[in-house]
Amino acid sequence: MTRFSANLGFLWTDLALPDAIRAAKVAGFDAVEFHWPYAVDAAEVRAALQETGLPVLGLNTRRGDVAAGENGLAALPGRAGEARAAIDEALAYAKAVGAGAVHVMAGRAEGAEARRTFLENLRHACAAAGPDRIILIEPLNPWDAPGYFLSRTEQAAEIIAEIGSPNLRLMFDCYHVGRTEGDVMGRLRALFPVIGHIQFAAIPDRGAPDHGDLDFAPVFAEIAALGWQTPLGAEYKVSGATEDSLGWLRSLARV
């Protein structure tokens, strides 16, 4: 049986975060994950997690000045102080709620200086996380995240290899990889040794995984055959009530 994590950055956004956790439990999810939970007291989140028995897999670092178009800080030259403060904040929140991973968002940047900055900030993140937490980096496709520093899986794999820290891993989002690189199954197999979390959504509209260009039944079967055991992150956009989008949950859980 495939297990699933509800990404509460997209699912049940009409509810307060503790109530969204409870809704995920009622719906049958096996875990939850967050985008930016910082406006909610960690004690309230922890209480909801304890009440439901759901683990929280991970959360993101802050994006920066969203109104100005920022989408992460870690690859922005001259912003190391802010980037590291965001990393430390995310790690503290993750510790408070028991999250196993922090996704360090690179931001919109390009060039050698951006790469050097990103690596330096990731080294800080890996050292600060220690052996108890994973640091994730995620390539984002250029349609949803134009100008984002990290856009392809081979770029992420090179950075992971160069840093060489055992707690730095790849966030493999089937949606982003499918939009940018196309060969989701092939990339999964090739990158499996460095993957730390897997997410999914329909291609190309980022909706529920019951339609679109990619049939997720064989994808999930391949993931299981590779030996993956952690819940897969349902990070898809809904229009209307989240409950109305969950027809896929039981059929694909049987894969």
Side-chain angles (χ1 to χ4, degrees), residues 122-123 125-127 130 135 159-169:
L122 287 175
R123 289 188 178 101
C126 291
I135 298 299
I159 288 171
I160 291 168
E162 184 169 342
I163 290 179
S165 177
N167 65 345
L168 179 62
R169 314 284 288 179

Side-chain angles (χ1 to χ4, degrees), residues 84-111:
R84 296 185 186 190
I87 289 166
D88 293 344
E89 175 192 39
L91 286 168
Y93 199 101
K95 182 178 181 180
V97 301
V102 166
H103 168 210
V104 174
M105 299 198 66
R108 294 183 170 98
E110 62 180 353

Side-chain angles (χ1 to χ4, degrees), residues 7 9-10 33-38 56-64 71-72 86-87 89-91 93-94 99 101-106 136-138 140 148 171 197 199 206 235:
N7 190 301
F10 282 164
E33 54 199 67
F34 311 141
H35 282 170
W36 306 281
Y38 305 106
V56 54
L57 301 187
L59 51 94
N60 298 344
T61 56
R62 288 188 189 266
R63 291 176 287 180
N71 196 24
I87 289 166
E89 175 192 39
L91 286 168
Y93 199 101
V102 166
H103 168 210
V104 174
M105 299 198 66
L136 297 169
I137 57 174
E138 179 184 16
L140 305 182
Y148 196 75
M171 176 110 81
H197 185 43
Q199 295 176 328
R206 208 173 191 180
E235 190 189 42

Side-chain angles (χ1 to χ4, degrees), residues 8 12 15-25 32 34 37 39-49 51-52 54 93:
L8 301 180
W12 289 290
L15 299 179
L17 186 55
D19 290 333
I21 293 168
R22 297 181 182 102
K25 174 65 173 181
V32 293
F34 311 141
V40 184
D41 190 293
E44 296 180 33
V45 173
R46 186 170 62 248
L49 293 167
E51 174 189 326
T52 59
L54 292 179
Y93 199 101

